[in-house]
Structures are given as C-alpha cells and as structure tokens.
Amino acid sequence: MMPPESVCPTPFPSNPAPTLAISVRQPWAWLIVRPDLEGAARAAALAAGTIKLIENRNWATRHRGPTLIHAAKGMTRGEYEDALAFLSLSPLQEAAEALPALDALPRGGIVGRADVVDCVGTSDSPWFFGPQGFVLRNTQPLPFQPLRGSLGFFAVPVDTPRSAEC
C-alpha cells in the first residue's frame, strides 16, 4: 500500500495554488476528495485506502504538481451503479457506504484539489484500472465552484478558488 498523503497541505509556498484542472466523472471525483472526512477520520481512510489516490486514463502525462479536481457535468445512472458495485465487491466497502446518492453529487465544477506526483502503467492499488494511472497525494475537498470542464488538463481562470482553509 502507498504511504498516506498529508491530511492538511500547506497551500504556499511548498504547495502552490493549482493553475490546471482535470475533469473526473462522478462518483470518482467525490471518492478522490472525500468531503465527508476530516481530521482523524480522513487519516484513517487514507491508511485504509478508501480515498481514491489513482486517476485512471488511457493516456500518460508528464504533468506533476497541484491540480484542481473538476467534477464533470455528465454522469449516468449506470456509471453510478457500476462504481457502487465496484466498491461493494472490493475491500473498499466503507467508501460504498459513505457514497452520497446519485442526485446529491455535485457536477459541473471544481470540487477539490490534489497533487499529481506520478503517472504509472501498473499499481497494486485497488483503484488502478489502467492503462495509465495518475498518482495523487494531498487530496482535499474545496467548496463547489461552477466551472466548465474540458478534455485533458485545462487552464483554470484566475478567479477560481484553489485552496481551502485547514
């Protein structure tokens, strides 16, 4: 298992504000930022591996550093049910029990931030499906900020909130 991320990263200067975002479909974006967890509960979830620290893509990236997590606008009932089934049939049952209802998941905006620290082709993480996995650290929720998404990593307007108070 990978070492846990820090619970409350320093926003600046060691962890500068993100200027790029990546769109992630729900409920996977929620599973990355886990806004239901704080403090000791968040640290326990990190240790248990129930926070998603791998974002799967068909393409590799050289991008490293702070990145905003954008919840894509689209999500089908089938995608939600597939994710719930995956969580229920794996050691990630706690995440399945915490997952909000389909209509309660925010979509079409920034929901959090993370540091992209690597891009791997294999991983022992139960979250890895491949073929490429962006390894995430220092994930944290942010207040929802509506924003139009885009494919790949995309530039974020200057007035978009980029860090949260710890």
Side-chain angles (χ1 to χ4, degrees):
M1 180 171 284
M2 296 180 183
E5 62 180 278
S6 66
V7 174
C8 186
T10 306
F12 185 81
S14 63
N15 195 358
T19 59
L20 294 177
I22 189 163
S23 285
V24 179
R25 292 181 77 84
Q26 289 287 28
W28 307 108
W30 186 90
L31 291 160
I32 290 171
V33 300
R34 291 295 305 264
D36 62 319
L37 299 171
E38 295 180 2
R42 187 168 190 79
L46 285 166
T50 57
I51 294 178
K52 185 176 186 278
L53 296 178
I54 297 265
E55 173 54 23
N56 298 283
R57 296 292 160 140
N58 289 327
W59 46 276
T61 184
R62 292 183 184 200
H63 170 71
R64 303 292 185 271
T67 306
L68 290 168
I69 305 299
H70 175 271
K73 198 166 195 169
M75 175 181 61
T76 66
R77 179 169 297 285
E79 288 172 324
Y80 178 85
E81 290 171 358
D82 287 349
L84 193 56
F86 165 76
L87 295 171
S88 298
L89 297 174
S90 72
L92 305 170
Q93 181 65 38
E94 181 277 328
E97 294 166 2
L99 192 64
L102 179 138
D103 59 351
L105 290 167
R107 292 182 282 168
I110 300 298
V111 294
R113 60 166 288 145
D115 292 331
V116 177
V117 298
D118 201 0
C119 179
V120 297
T122 61
S123 174
D124 291 334
S125 170
W127 298 106
F128 180 79
F129 309 143
Q132 298 295 315
F134 302 167
V135 180
L136 308 174
R137 293 286 181 272
N138 303 320
T139 64
Q140 68 182 101
L142 293 174
F144 181 77
Q145 175 72 26
L147 182 69
R148 184 179 174 135
S150 187
L151 296 176
F153 288 96
F154 61 94
V156 177
V158 191
D159 59 349
T160 304
R162 296 162 195 234
S163 64
E165 296 293 320
C166 293

